Amino acid sequence: MERLNASVTDMRVCIMDEYGRVVALRTDQRRLCMAVQEGEALALVAAMEFVISSGYNAVTFETDCKCVVHKIRVLSFIRVKLQTPQETVS
């Protein structure tokens, strides 16, 4: 039996087409010790980099880490609010 190494983070990316067929796979290991949420966020960034470098442009990302999705939504909302032009009052 293989012993798990706590200082290794595995990342897996699967790209599927609109019919659910696998069109690309990527696996990676990073020699880092981190919290699960940090690993999930790092894997999502790696997936985004992979998608961009592969030339895909209409993509839906899926993850099972609810807290990472929540943080992205909160940060996206803040960014949108900051970028919205302020109305001037005359």
Side-chain angles (χ1 to χ4, degrees):
M1 179 186 285
E2 187 177 354
R3 192 173 159 183
L4 295 177
N5 187 341
S7 64
V8 174
T9 299
D10 289 327
M11 292 179 275
R12 296 175 185 94
V13 177
C14 174
I15 298 177
M16 295 183 287
D17 65 13
E18 61 271 16
Y19 303 106
R21 295 180 299 213
V22 175
V23 295
L25 294 170
R26 179 180 176 187
T27 61
D28 194 10
Q29 282 189 338
R30 305 274 173 103
R31 300 238 178 251
L32 301 169
C33 184
M34 62 184 69
V36 172
Q37 295 86 355
E38 292 171 324
E40 292 284 348
L42 183 62
L44 187 56
V45 169
M48 291 176 185
E49 291 170 346
F50 178 57
V51 164
I52 291 168
S53 69
S54 298
Y56 295 98
N57 55 18
V59 179
T60 301
F61 292 94
E62 295 181 2
T63 180
D64 60 354
C65 190
K66 186 176 179 179
C67 66
V68 170
V69 173
H70 176 72
K71 288 286 187 184
I72 291 170
R73 286 184 176 154
V74 167
L75 292 174
S76 296
F77 176 75
I78 291 170
R79 194 177 114 232
V80 168
K81 292 288 276 181
L82 292 175
Q83 290 180 347
T84 303
Q86 298 293 327
E87 293 183 26
T88 56
V89 178
S90 46

